[in-house]
Amino acid sequence: MIQTMQQISTIAEMRVHIKEARRQGKTIGIVPTMGFLHEGHLSLVKAAREKCDLVVMSIFVNPLQFGPNEDFDRYPRDLERDRELARSAGVDLLFTPEVSEMYPKPMLTNVSVSTVTEQLCGKSRPGHFDGVATVVTKLFQIVQPDYAFFGQKDAQQVAVVTQMAFDLSMPVEIVPCPIVREADGLALSSRNVYLSAEEREQALVLSRSLKHAEKWLAEGVALDEVRGRIIQMISEMPLAQIDYVELLTYPDLSPVSARTPGQSIIVALAVRFGKTRLIDNLITTI
Ligand code: PAF
């Protein structure tokens, strides 16, 4: 589908479009991204297209959510390509602000969500979810969406943003969308481009171990034993360095040691292959 899409880079201009859409009684959906789009992002646009009259996608590599030694500078960017992908996926408004537009002065305000940020990526990447919560709040203020679409690959991000929207009575529904995978199981991520052929091959252990975990959980294997088996499988890959392998309740991310029937849990993995840190997860009921 080729259609008209407008690219907007200032908050003031976005507000004009949003005001007009509201005047026309349109429902508004936002797909927040950091660009370098892949099929995962496009599946979010598809979900937004089905639910909303106006689909806004933001592309903004948010410096607030990167630690000092992380990959902000080398994060992959290709606006030209993203523009075409967004247009053909059916985005109406593409919001591409510069850092100076979003943060013209040092930020003195920080949105911080507790408890659900204290484990997994929140523990390994201090400050990361403050940066996410702050920029997402800002995007919501600018776009005033009825719906916001997030991929479940970043399951902790979904939990954090959902909690934040609830706690702050934000008039938006957070819509989680399923993980999109390559045919061989690798979860799509903009960071996959960093992987060498050998690293990519070994990274398949993530989805493979989650598939096994699903089976072991269904068979009634104890949760600690499932965790141990996953660690064992990943450790067999010489290039893999485990950041975490955790089984927690979902979406509240509390420790879980014994089985409670009907309990929703997440099996969450973060593993480095060379300089690339990949995450993947399985959410299931035990
Ligand atoms: O998931 C992402 O790409 C980012 O964390 C988000 C939600 C766009 C905020 O910068």
Side-chain angles (χ1 to χ4, degrees):
M1 182 190 15
I2 304 290
Q3 64 158 53
T4 328
M5 178 185 79
Q6 274 179 284
Q7 186 179 346
I8 293 168
S9 54
T10 68
I11 296 171
E13 203 191 335
M14 180 56 86
R15 288 204 199 284
V16 171
H17 284 272
I18 295 302
K19 201 169 170 187
E20 177 56 19
R22 283 269 168 242
R23 199 188 60 74
Q24 293 178 15
K26 291 186 171 172
T27 51
I28 301 173
I30 185 169
V31 178
T33 81
M34 298 204 300
F36 213 70
L37 302 179
H38 51 64
E39 285 298 327
H41 298 111
L42 303 182
S43 74
L44 304 181
V45 175
K46 187 161 182 274
R49 203 57 286 168
E50 279 163 17
K51 240 179 152 57
C52 307
D53 302 316
L54 185 84
V55 176
V56 180
M57 172 185 272
S58 59
I59 295 184
F60 179 63
V61 185
N62 171 36
L64 295 188
Q65 69 188 74
F66 288 80
N69 298 319
E70 292 186 351
D71 56 346
F72 174 71
D73 288 329
R74 70 179 193 114
Y75 195 83
R77 291 162 171 91
D78 189 345
L79 189 52
E80 199 70 12
R81 179 175 158 276
D82 285 351
R83 221 186 337 255
E84 278 325 299
L85 288 171
R87 187 197 310 280
S88 44
V91 169
D92 298 305
L93 301 178
L94 184 65
F95 185 47
T96 56
E98 294 290 336
V99 173
S100 57
E101 177 69 11
M102 289 292 274
Y103 307 125
K105 293 199 270 181
M107 289 283 280
L108 303 183
T109 303
N110 180 45
V111 182
S112 190
V113 179
S114 66
T115 312
V116 282
T117 54
E118 282 157 18
Q119 48 308 76
L120 307 179
C121 293
K123 195 164 169 190
S124 317
R125 304 181 65 190
H128 169 69
F129 284 115
D130 282 11
V132 170
T134 303
V135 79
V136 169
T137 300
K138 228 172 134 80
L139 290 167
F140 286 179
Q141 290 295 100
I142 297 164
V143 174
Q144 296 169 36
D146 301 290
Y147 299 96
F149 299 81
F150 292 87
Q152 275 287 12
K153 187 173 76 67
D154 296 297
Q156 189 174 18
Q157 173 167 279
V158 172
V160 169
V161 171
T162 305
Q163 184 70 40
M164 175 187 84
F166 176 79
D167 286 348
L168 299 182
S169 306
M170 293 178 170
V172 57
E173 186 182 319
I174 306 301
V175 185
C177 299
I179 298 177
V180 179
R181 299 179 180 281
E182 304 271 14
D184 58 9
L186 187 68
L188 293 188
S189 162
S190 304
R191 290 188 168 98
N192 289 350
V193 289
Y194 298 149
L195 296 169
S196 68
E198 203 183 351
E199 286 166 349
R200 194 194 173 290
E201 183 58 34
Q202 295 194 19
L204 295 178
V205 73
L206 298 191
S207 54
R208 207 163 50 236
S209 64
L210 290 173
K211 261 210 158 350
H212 279 84
E214 193 167 21
K215 188 168 79 63
W216 295 328
L217 288 168
E219 287 168 0
V221 177
L223 304 182
D224 280 355
E225 171 68 19
V226 171
R227 180 168 179 270
R229 289 185 191 180
I230 296 174
I231 292 174
Q232 173 64 36
M233 266 186 88
I234 297 176
S235 306
E236 280 163 16
M237 296 295 133
L239 300 176
Q241 266 185 288
I242 295 177
D243 181 350
Y244 61 72
V245 172
E246 298 288 352
L247 278 72
L248 300 170
T249 63
Y250 193 83
D252 38 323
L253 305 180
S254 309
V256 55
S257 49
R259 285 167 177 268
T260 315
Q263 172 73 58
S264 170
I265 67 156
I266 182 166
V267 183
L269 318 176
V271 179
R272 267 175 219 289
F273 293 87
K275 283 191 174 153
T276 310
R277 182 176 174 282
L278 299 181
I279 57 173
D280 202 345
N281 69 77
L282 158 77
I283 295 173
T284 187
T285 306
I286 51 172

